[in-house]
Amino acid sequence: MASLLVGVLIAAAVVIVTPVLDRHSDDPSAPATGNGTDLDLERRIAGFATDTVAGARFLPPNRVERETVAAGVGLYLDGKRGEAERRLAEVDFGVHILRDTVKGRRYAEIADRAREGARGWGRVYIDLDAPARFSVQVPHPVADAYSETLGFGVLRGAPGGVLVVAGAHRMAGEGNAADVAHRTDTVFHAVCAELVARGLPGIQVHGFADKTARAHDAVVSTGAGDDGRPQAVTLARALTDDGFRVCRAWSAKCPLAGRANKQGRLAADDGVPFIHVEFSRTVREDTARGRRVVAAMTTAVAEWKTAERKTTAPKATEREARSGG
């Protein structure tokens, strides 16, 4: 009798817990199901930076590993959620559905479920309540202190975002192996390449030490290309109107303009808008000023409507070439 009672209680617990998690459909047209785990997503991402990224080691992924993660992200964006989970599981990545308690929006968190602190490959967050329209890229969490918080602020502030966050300090690898903004052989770059192939504009958030550019609070650039100029102008104007000192890389000689940034070069090659923005340490560590620069970035990305998507996802060979081969 006691065994029967225990079995009933276990079954009841399963019934209670299961609806919270998204079990994903293989039907591309089916909406994501379940509300997800309720939490403050800003705190989760800040915790990821301080608890994982800060002490993570970096294990360079091989081509198959980085392209498998990128392909899984692409499948998820295509609505093939079950297929995406199976593909991601090949490299011990998984999907967890989260509902941000501040705005009530749901996001898919794609992350390493086995060796996150040992491999340092990063995470991806996808807005589930709106079609994907843009990406927010954070290549140097912790190293560029609070850049991950600013990046998440943009994801939370505008619908249709995809947030890509590196998983290790830029100095964690041998040489510059973990400096994902300047490498094409990382999971971070492979995912960004997947997003560019789908025509998604991107904004990449960085930080600089105050002494590097004492005359400026922010440096706004379109990187190696010029396709993001209208939104970069919007961002620079919004920041200036709010009292920030801004260096505009298209009309002045600015430090930290990101011309050699690998994700920016890829976007430029494809004619996809890209913004590279740097904020001083003083701005980033001030919560109130941080909110103001997030508002300015949100205003800029809001101009990016539904991306002009390519008719097909990139083939495997093309994907390999775009992410370093």
Side-chain angles (χ1 to χ4, degrees):
M1 192 67 177
S3 297
L4 178 60
L5 179 58
V6 171
V8 169
L9 290 174
I10 292 173
V14 171
V15 170
I16 291 170
V17 172
T18 299
V20 177
L21 301 179
D22 185 345
R23 292 277 59 105
H24 303 301
S25 169
D26 283 317
D27 177 2
S29 64
T33 58
N35 290 327
T37 302
D38 289 353
L39 46 75
D40 182 333
L41 193 51
E42 179 180 356
R43 289 186 179 181
R44 183 176 182 86
I45 291 174
F48 169 61
T50 57
D51 299 338
T52 302
V53 175
R57 299 188 296 277
F58 183 74
L59 178 66
N62 61 39
R63 180 184 59 77
V64 172
E65 290 168 332
R66 60 181 183 264
E67 294 308 330
T68 297
V69 177
V73 171
L75 287 166
Y76 206 91
L77 289 171
D78 288 339
K80 300 176 181 178
R81 292 177 290 278
E83 188 178 346
E85 285 200 355
R86 289 190 291 273
R87 190 68 182 273
L88 290 164
E90 294 174 9
V91 288
D92 292 327
F93 266 60
V95 183
H96 191 188
I97 305 306
L98 308 173
R99 188 169 72 91
D100 180 33
T101 52
V102 173
K103 289 294 185 75
R105 300 187 68 85
R106 296 173 308 145
Y107 300 88
E109 176 188 78
I110 297 176
D112 194 328
R113 298 304 188 216
R115 294 174 287 162
E116 190 165 53
R119 298 196 293 191
W121 291 354
R123 292 183 180 180
V124 180
Y125 291 87
I126 300 173
D127 185 347
L128 294 177
D129 294 326
R133 296 190 296 110
F134 65 92
S135 74
V136 187
Q137 304 164 16
V138 182
H140 299 145
V142 180
D144 292 353
Y146 309 110
S147 59
E148 62 281 350
T149 301
L150 300 183
F152 170 70
V154 181
L155 180 73
R156 175 184 274 171
V162 179
L163 174 64
V164 189
V165 186
H169 191 287
R170 65 186 300 178
M171 301 301 290
E174 185 176 344
N176 76 333
D179 185 358
V180 298
H182 300 102
R183 304 281 302 205
T184 62
D185 55 354
T186 65
V187 168
F188 182 93
H189 185 80
V191 171
C192 289
E194 195 77 22
L195 301 179
V196 165
R198 284 163 167 72
L200 293 184
I203 182 168
Q204 191 169 113
V205 184
H206 292 259
F208 62 89
D210 290 359
K211 64 182 180 181
T212 302
R214 295 186 184 281
H216 304 293
D217 299 309
V219 178
V220 181
S221 171
T222 56
D226 201 40
D227 295 281
R229 175 76 68 85
Q231 291 72 39
V233 169
T234 294
L235 173 55
R237 184 179 296 126
L239 289 169
T240 301
D241 289 348
D242 198 17
F244 292 97
R245 301 167 300 162
V246 182
C247 190
R248 296 161 169 81
W250 54 91
S251 60
K253 187 175 181 180
C254 301
L256 308 167
R259 305 294 189 200
N261 180 280
K262 295 299 185 182
Q263 294 77 51
R265 285 186 176 275
L266 179 64
D269 290 344
D270 271 29
V272 173
F274 178 83
I275 298 174
H276 182 281
V277 59
E278 297 257 5
F279 295 106
S280 72
R281 176 65 183 247
T282 296
V283 168
R284 285 177 285 121
E285 68 183 7
D286 185 306
T287 301
R289 297 179 91 185
R291 290 196 188 99
R292 288 158 54 197
V293 301
V294 164
M297 289 190 286
T298 301
T299 297
V301 303
E303 294 183 357
W304 286 327
K305 306 302 181 184
T306 302
E308 183 178 342
R309 178 173 175 153
K310 293 186 176 182
T311 55
T312 59
K315 296 179 180 178
T317 52
E318 178 187 350
R319 188 181 289 118
E320 292 162 14
R322 296 165 66 81
S323 64

